[in-house]
Amino acid sequence: MSDVIEVIKQSYKIENILEQFIGIDLSNVRKKNKSYNICCPFHQDNHPSFTVWEETNYWKCWAGCGGGDQINLVAKALNLKNHEAIKLLNNQLNLKKTQVEYMKSGVEELLRDKELIKKFNDRIRETFSNLIALRVKTKKQIQEVMEAEDLESEYVINLHHLVPKLEGWLESLESENYAVQYHTLLDIQNFFKKGLNSWIKTK
Ligand SMILES: [Zn+2]
């Protein structure tokens, strides 16, 4: 239990307890000697008799309402026993922790996505430069076979058809649209079933 009390005391500032549980905002109150003097919220008070020390997180009513730490203040404000105030503050802290964890996992999710996006972009770049290489190679082959082979042969016709296909793919890969790029990659993969790299090497 003492660990829980320690955690609560370190997690809550007395000013925040005052604001959250009593509705008193100290930000407009002048500070004197590292303390605030305000009218006591617990008795009819015309002269400020309630002091709050921000460094030690202590409070005291000089007219006899009491004094203490953050836990005592919550207990006094909500008319709770100290152990009930501890339970309330601890539950609130746990809820905050859960929210922080949730936020963290959200960021991790995002980072994972970023990693995916990076991989995808690398893949696009690699495919793009492979297609450029293939286009150079295809044009060279066309030059070579034009002299040696029958211009009506299926091989020559296929080579001729490949160039505009390559041009179209290159253009689509340059698109900033992930969906277009993705479907182009699928299209390319489908065309070069064994993979673009192996096609460049073997043909
Ligand atoms: Zn008082």
Side-chain angles (χ1 to χ4, degrees):
M1 196 57 155
S2 65
D3 277 357
V4 173
I5 292 174
E6 211 41 53
V7 170
I8 288 173
K9 285 187 168 199
Q10 282 172 12
S11 304
Y12 287 98
K13 288 181 173 177
I14 195 88
E15 307 97 280
N16 296 339
I17 295 276
L18 209 58
E19 185 170 359
Q20 188 189 343
F21 291 95
I22 306 176
I24 295 175
D25 180 8
L26 288 183
S27 62
N28 292 322
V29 179
R30 259 184 73 190
K31 196 164 37 176
K32 245 199 233 168
N33 293 328
K34 292 171 184 176
S35 66
Y36 300 92
N37 281 314
I38 56 172
C39 288
C40 177
F42 304 126
H43 78 272
Q44 200 64 23
D45 192 11
N46 298 321
H47 297 287
S49 51
F50 191 91
T51 306
V52 177
W53 292 269
E54 64 168 4
E55 274 189 3
T56 51
N57 289 302
Y58 198 81
W59 62 278
K60 182 179 170 74
C61 168
W62 301 97
C65 295
D69 60 17
Q70 302 95 312
I71 293 162
N72 303 133
L73 186 55
V74 171
K76 179 82 180 166
L78 301 181
N79 200 18
L80 299 173
K81 302 263 191 279
N82 273 350
H83 72 90
E84 291 171 323
I86 290 167
K87 200 175 170 189
L88 179 109
L89 290 172
N90 192 42
N91 284 345
Q92 200 177 54
L93 278 182
N94 285 338
L95 185 69
K96 265 189 203 155
K97 239 189 281 175
T98 314
Q99 285 168 338
V100 169
E101 288 302 314
Y102 180 78
M103 293 283 284
K104 269 193 197 158
S105 77
V107 170
E108 268 159 27
E109 202 69 37
L110 212 71
L111 284 176
R112 240 205 315 262
D113 271 358
K114 264 191 183 167
E115 192 58 34
L116 265 183
I117 287 172
K118 193 188 166 294
K119 272 186 192 160
F120 182 73
N121 282 334
D122 287 347
R123 184 76 190 281
I124 294 284
R125 260 194 296 279
E126 189 196 339
T127 306
F128 191 84
S129 58
N130 278 343
L131 286 183
I132 295 274
L134 187 57
R135 187 176 58 178
V136 171
K137 195 175 168 179
T138 306
K139 282 183 173 172
K140 211 175 135 201
Q141 266 179 332
I142 289 173
Q143 285 290 333
E144 285 169 7
V145 297
M146 290 257 275
E147 296 153 18
E149 294 201 32
D150 178 8
L151 293 185
E152 305 276 310
S153 85
E154 204 182 334
Y155 178 53
V156 176
I157 290 166
N158 281 345
L159 276 182
H160 269 289
H161 284 147
L162 185 57
V163 176
K165 214 171 178 58
L166 290 173
E167 306 279 2
W169 282 329
L170 284 168
E171 200 179 310
S172 299
L173 287 181
E174 276 184 310
S175 148
E176 308 248 308
N177 186 326
Y178 281 140
V180 172
Q181 290 179 318
Y182 178 73
H183 284 289
T184 307
L185 271 189
L186 285 185
D187 200 17
I188 294 168
Q189 251 175 25
N190 213 25
F191 190 83
F192 303 101
K193 286 235 168 63
K194 284 178 191 168
L196 185 51
N197 285 329
S198 65
W199 204 90
I200 290 175
K201 279 169 204 150
T202 54
K203 291 266 174 171

